[in-house]
Amino acid sequence: MRFTSEQRLDDGVLERAFTLGEFPGILWMPASASASAPVPLILLGHPPLGLRKMYPRLVARARHSAAQGFAAATIELPGSGDRPRWAAAEQARADLRRAMKAGEPVGDDIIDALVLPLVEKSVPEWQGALDALLSLPEIGGPVGYSGGVISIGIRLAVVEPRIVAAGFFAGSFVPRAMFEEARRITIPLHVLLQWDDEGNDRQAALDLFDAFGSREKSLHAHMGGHTGVPQFAGEEAAGFFARHLK
């Protein structure tokens, strides 16, 4: 991991950009963090729209995490931002836009092509980032995962034992194969569902929640569309991570 820049935000949070192998990322540390008092870590997932576009929302989430005494970090997903274009992903997104514009059902073939390769490519990168982040003396764990493409979160929750709790947003397409992986999850889960999400199959989201194997799981459903998440929903998620990471 090579840090490329850093700045102190107005609330004292230290923001450090880094590169790790082929991808960039950002680490946010609370002002109170030190090698003598290492803090837990939350991995901030996001959709594959690029870190620059997602930055305002990511830094807001990181500030909330820092207020709880947690470090937060994110990485650029494959094919996004300044990373090399990924022809297969571009084609899958085009097929998705075409189907939705035509009012056609989004078939399993489109969903699989859109999501499964992204999961396969990005999860090892998240794990590599986690290795590097936990090697820093200011970060001591435990680790949580929050938001982003829910299928990436599912895979991480299954294969990464260092993640002890996860907050998912049921707002993205989920391949059928991921339902079987969901049954293998055992960590506590906090799942957010927008009831009127125009781009999400509500019943599929409910079926996925039912499939999660965790003994402790909660579903928080709110009226409104994909971008209408109420502010207090973030406070509920913060409470969830405070219970499991402290």
Side-chain angles (χ1 to χ4, degrees):
M1 175 180 282
R2 181 172 66 90
F3 289 103
T4 57
S5 69
E6 70 176 48
Q7 64 172 330
R8 184 75 65 174
L9 305 183
D10 55 14
D11 55 0
V13 173
L14 180 62
E15 177 182 288
R16 306 176 75 186
F18 65 84
T19 59
L20 183 64
E22 299 178 356
F23 58 87
I26 308 173
L27 169 64
W28 293 271
M29 297 294 302
S32 60
S34 68
S36 61
V39 297
L41 171 67
I42 297 180
L43 302 177
L44 300 181
H46 55 90
L49 301 175
L51 285 182
R52 290 180 184 176
K53 185 172 183 177
M54 293 302 302
Y55 177 81
R57 279 185 276 179
L58 287 166
V59 72
R61 291 163 62 193
R63 287 177 187 265
H64 283 300
S65 297
Q68 294 283 329
F70 304 145
T74 193
I75 61 173
E76 187 74 270
L77 294 178
S80 299
D82 295 329
R83 298 188 65 177
R85 296 299 90 187
W86 184 8
E90 297 288 332
Q91 183 60 55
R93 291 169 189 163
D95 292 342
L96 173 65
R97 288 192 295 267
R98 177 195 54 76
M100 296 185 72
K101 185 176 182 180
E104 301 172 354
V106 179
D108 290 343
D109 55 337
I110 295 177
I111 295 174
D112 288 355
L114 184 71
V115 178
L116 292 178
L118 181 62
V119 172
E120 295 294 335
K121 285 178 176 287
S122 62
V123 166
E125 295 184 345
W126 274 113
Q127 291 183 291
L130 186 54
D131 290 340
L133 291 163
L134 289 178
S135 73
L136 300 174
E138 301 91 346
I139 298 177
V143 181
Y145 176 86
S146 174
V149 178
I150 193 169
S151 293
I152 293 176
I154 290 171
R155 175 67 60 81
L156 278 169
V158 170
V159 304
E160 184 46 73
R162 292 172 292 185
I163 295 175
V164 302
F168 292 155
F169 177 42
S172 55
F173 294 105
V174 181
R176 294 183 185 275
M178 298 306 301
F179 281 71
E180 191 58 41
E181 293 195 35
R183 295 184 175 91
R184 296 165 54 195
I185 294 178
T186 59
I187 62 174
L189 297 179
H190 177 101
V191 183
L192 173 64
L193 171 65
Q194 286 299 102
W195 200 249
D196 306 301
D197 192 333
E198 58 279 5
N200 190 35
D201 183 333
R202 181 196 303 163
Q203 189 58 55
L206 295 174
D207 292 343
L208 179 63
F209 179 80
D210 189 52
F212 288 132
S214 303
R215 294 185 63 182
E216 180 186 338
K217 58 181 180 179
S218 58
L219 178 67
H220 302 255
H222 305 287
M223 304 303 292
H226 188 82
T227 60
V229 180
Q231 183 175 354
F232 63 80
E235 298 169 359
E236 294 171 345
F240 167 79
F241 284 113
R243 289 196 303 275
H244 293 289
L245 300 185
K246 288 186 175 180

